[in-house]
């Protein structure tokens, strides 16, 4: 009933893959460079916590302004959708009235043209 073998084998596979990838010289050099850069950055921020705090504050403000912008945009879109839902029946009624008016005027024009033809043929 030992169900944790899957997780252990995944971990062993990842470690084996990492060890094999370290056989490549370029990978080793890249990892050494990355580790040194990370260590230097950690050392710098451990000595200059105020710089770290200001960077964190800047990021927080940036993400907060992006969130507020997105929230405002979502609110505007919701308002427009609600307005469109309200206007749709009115627009439908206007279109139907316009269609009826066009059909009625079309019939009237036909009658006028027909009577004009009859008048011309009588003369």
């Amino acid at each position: 009933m030992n169900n944790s073998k899957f997780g252990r084998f995944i971990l062993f596979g990842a470690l084996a893959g990492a060890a094999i990838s370290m056989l490549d010289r370029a990978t080793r050099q890249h990892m050494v460079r990355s580790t040194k850069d990370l260590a230097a950055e950690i050392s710098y921020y451990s000595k200059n916590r105020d710089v770290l705090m200001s960077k964190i504050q800047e990021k927080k403000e940036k993400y907060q302004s992006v969130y507020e912008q997105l929230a405002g945009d979502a609110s505007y879109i919701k308002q427009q959708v609600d307005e469109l839902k309200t206007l749709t029946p009115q627009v439908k009624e206007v279109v139907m009235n316009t269609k009826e008016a066009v059909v009625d005027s079309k019939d009237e024009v036909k009658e006028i043209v027909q009577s004009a033809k009859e008048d011309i043929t009588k003369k």
Side-chain angles (χ1 to χ4, degrees), residues 105-119:
S105 67
K106 179 181 171 185
D107 292 340
E108 289 177 18
V109 168
K110 280 184 180 179
E111 289 175 10
I112 292 171
V113 169
Q114 188 64 29
S115 92
K117 282 184 180 179
E118 289 174 1
D119 288 345

Side-chain angles (χ1 to χ4, degrees), residues 44-54:
Y44 174 77
Y45 285 125
S46 67
K47 293 175 185 172
N48 300 301
R49 292 189 178 178
D50 55 333
V51 174
L52 178 64
M53 293 305 293
S54 68

Side-chain angles (χ1 to χ4, degrees), residues 9-106:
F9 286 135
I10 287 179
L11 180 63
F12 290 143
L15 290 173
I20 291 170
S21 68
M22 287 298 161
L23 295 175
D24 181 41
R25 179 183 204 119
T27 304
R28 282 193 314 270
Q29 290 173 343
H30 175 73
M31 289 304 297
V32 167
R33 218 177 13 249
S34 296
T35 305
K36 284 181 181 179
D37 291 345
L38 180 62
E41 197 169 335
I42 289 171
S43 175
Y44 174 77
Y45 285 125
S46 67
K47 293 175 185 172
N48 300 301
R49 292 189 178 178
D50 55 333
V51 174
L52 178 64
M53 293 305 293
S54 68
K55 281 191 174 193
I56 291 173
Q57 185 67 24
E58 287 175 15
K59 290 286 184 183
K60 178 188 151 220
E61 290 171 0
K62 177 184 173 186
Y63 290 130
Q64 191 171 12
S65 69
V66 168
Y67 171 78
E68 289 171 358
Q69 179 68 34
L70 289 174
D73 291 348
S75 174
Y76 175 75
I77 290 171
K78 183 184 180 302
Q79 179 185 2
Q80 294 299 313
V81 168
D82 290 343
E83 187 176 323
L84 186 61
K85 285 180 182 177
T86 305
L87 288 177
T88 299
Q90 296 170 352
V91 170
K92 183 178 176 184
E93 184 179 336
V94 167
V95 168
M96 293 304 290
N97 290 341
T98 304
K99 178 184 172 189
E100 290 173 8
V102 168
V103 168
D104 292 344
S105 67
K106 179 181 171 185

